[in-house]
Amino acid sequence: MKKLLEICELKDEEIYYLINRALELKKNNNLLKKRNDIYIANLFFENSTRTKHSFEIAEKSINLNVIDFEVSTSSVNKGESLYDTCKTLEMIGCNMLVIRHSKNKYYKELESINIPIINAGDGSGEHPSQCLLDLMTIYEVFGKINGLNIVIVGDIKNSRVARSNYNILTRLGANVKFVSPECFDSDFGGEKVDFDQIIDKVDVCMLLRIQFERHKEKILFNNNDYNKKYGLTKERYKKLKENSIIMHPAPVNRGVEIDDELVESEKSVIFQQMANGRYMREAILEKIIIDNNI
Ligand code: CP
């Protein structure tokens, strides 16, 4: 694994290696080999709480030197291109880059950058590290992915999490369905179902935020109406199977895609996903360092 740009580039065995390694690191973080000779920069051109800071904690837990790169105080504001920023960081001695950008497939313009890039989210394209931590969480709960019934609910069309997760969960043998308002229907395949017809059959109920920042036209929603039709309400929660789980990549809009009280309910693994993010990102960094012989 020389880089991590799109989840489909990973073979099944690489995915299961990362899941098992992240679970191992969660149990015993002392297993990580410390490296204080590696420089890494996190370039976040879009806002982030979880991804940016869990990468930073993962990097610091390996003793990597984390470059303090902030888009707002960088020469990006003087018109520097993404390529020139990355090339500059490579030339001054950075060994790895973690990048989040609003442009889908921004990494295509970075093909001649000679240091590994980890995609921390590209527009509505992919979010591979989120996908891997979601797989880790599902595997941690069920001990398998194959054969699980999974519903992804919400703004499917604009969600990089839905795109990455649908592709890989399907490849790993899960049965994935979508629930969405028409304006957010998937444009990358998959079967749409009625939330109330499927709620009592799912093992995993994965909820998504409405991605207002990606909508080309302003879509007005009444939060209560959306919650009633597409939200995980207390009534729907009661219909979930005994051993089912609720997931959400977060940030969560409490009271919209999920009722406030359900965010930390018995079936919710939303905060477990966040905790797992650190360990999965440690496993990703470790594997890329080893495979590039850095
Ligand atoms: N899930 C996720 O990517 O969260 P952030 O936008 O806070 O990083």
Side-chain angles (χ1 to χ4, degrees), residues 177-193:
K177 307 267 195 256
F178 295 132
V179 168
S180 56
E182 209 170 313
C183 56
F184 298 153
D185 282 352
S186 158
D187 55 8
F188 51 90
E191 188 191 340
K192 184 173 166 177
V193 291

Side-chain angles (χ1 to χ4, degrees), residues 236-249:
R236 288 194 177 105
Y237 181 88
K238 283 186 213 146
K239 294 181 185 156
L240 282 164
K241 286 202 291 189
E242 194 183 337
N243 295 322
S244 60
I245 58 170
I246 303 165
M247 300 182 76
H248 193 311

Side-chain angles (χ1 to χ4, degrees), residues 14 19 35 62 99 127 145 211 236 242 252 258 283 289:
E14 288 174 311
I19 291 172
R35 291 290 303 269
I62 310 180
I99 306 177
H127 197 347
I145 291 165
Q211 318 270 307
R236 288 194 177 105
E242 194 183 337
V252 175
I258 178 168
I289 290 168

Side-chain angles (χ1 to χ4, degrees), residues 3-266:
K3 55 190 177 356
L4 181 60
L5 302 178
E6 296 174 5
I7 193 71
C8 289
E9 292 171 336
L10 296 184
K11 298 189 190 88
D12 292 3
E13 55 268 30
E14 288 174 311
I15 290 171
Y16 283 111
Y17 167 82
L18 288 168
I19 291 172
N20 285 311
R21 181 62 177 157
L23 287 169
E24 196 173 41
L25 293 171
K26 189 175 180 179
K27 273 198 208 126
N28 183 1
N29 212 232
N30 290 330
L31 292 171
L32 269 178
K33 186 168 186 278
K34 311 286 179 192
R35 291 290 303 269
N36 61 7
D37 54 339
I38 295 176
Y39 290 87
I40 188 161
N42 302 314
L43 285 66
F44 278 70
F45 294 83
E46 274 192 343
N47 296 344
S48 171
T49 302
R50 277 146 291 274
T51 313
K52 183 175 184 194
H53 298 295
S54 63
F55 262 116
E56 197 168 333
I57 288 181
E59 290 155 4
K60 288 182 173 170
S61 68
I62 310 180
N63 281 9
L64 305 189
N65 296 291
V66 183
I67 304 298
D68 184 22
F69 182 91
E70 282 300 334
V71 172
S72 61
T73 54
S74 74
S75 287
V76 169
N77 286 333
K78 300 178 199 164
E80 185 172 69
S81 69
L82 175 63
Y83 174 83
D84 284 342
T85 302
C86 295
K87 193 71 194 167
T88 302
L89 289 166
E90 177 192 338
M91 295 318 291
I92 62 176
C94 237
N95 304 100
M96 300 168 81
L97 300 174
V98 176
I99 306 177
R100 169 173 287 189
H101 202 284
S102 57
K103 187 174 173 189
N104 284 28
K105 297 190 188 289
Y106 67 81
Y107 41 80
K108 294 281 181 205
E109 61 200 71
L110 302 177
E111 279 169 359
S112 56
I113 299 294
N114 297 309
I115 52 175
I117 293 173
I118 299 173
N119 179 12
D122 62 294
S124 58
E126 289 255 5
H127 197 347
S129 66
Q130 176 73 43
C131 176
L132 286 164
L133 76 88
D134 288 347
L135 295 176
M136 172 190 175
T137 308
I138 293 171
Y139 191 82
E140 189 176 32
V141 174
F142 294 100
K144 64 173 188 175
I145 291 165
N146 184 33
L148 294 177
N149 290 320
I150 298 178
V151 66
I152 307 181
V153 187
D155 187 355
I156 310 291
K157 183 178 173 179
N158 297 291
S159 168
R160 52 195 175 207
V161 175
R163 205 172 301 264
S164 290
N165 281 356
Y166 173 71
N167 283 332
I168 217 67
L169 284 165
T170 305
R171 199 178 90 193
L172 295 176
N175 175 25
V176 184
K177 307 267 195 256
F178 295 132
V179 168
S180 56
E182 209 170 313
C183 56
F184 298 153
D185 282 352
S186 158
D187 55 8
F188 51 90
E191 188 191 340
K192 184 173 166 177
V193 291
D194 183 289
F195 205 3
D196 292 308
Q197 298 288 311
I198 203 167
I199 188 78
D200 58 346
K201 298 172 189 69
V202 297
D203 300 298
V204 178
C205 179
M206 191 180 285
L207 305 164
L208 300 172
R209 177 178 66 86
I210 304 175
Q211 318 270 307
F212 286 110
E213 70 275 28
R214 307 209 188 286
H215 299 165
K216 290 193 180 79
E217 284 161 33
K218 204 172 169 64
I219 301 174
L220 290 176
F221 273 106
N222 173 300
N223 285 350
N224 287 335
D225 285 351
Y226 184 89
N227 176 261
K228 229 179 195 169
K229 284 188 192 152
Y230 304 104
L232 185 67
T233 58
K234 288 185 275 305
E235 291 70 36
R236 288 194 177 105
Y237 181 88
K238 283 186 213 146
K239 294 181 185 156
L240 282 164
K241 286 202 291 189
E242 194 183 337
N243 295 322
S244 60
I245 58 170
I246 303 165
M247 300 182 76
H248 193 311
V252 175
N253 285 316
R254 290 174 183 249
V256 184
E257 65 268 18
I258 178 168
D259 283 6
D260 187 5
E261 305 88 309
L262 301 180
V263 175
E264 284 161 89
S265 61
E266 203 184 326

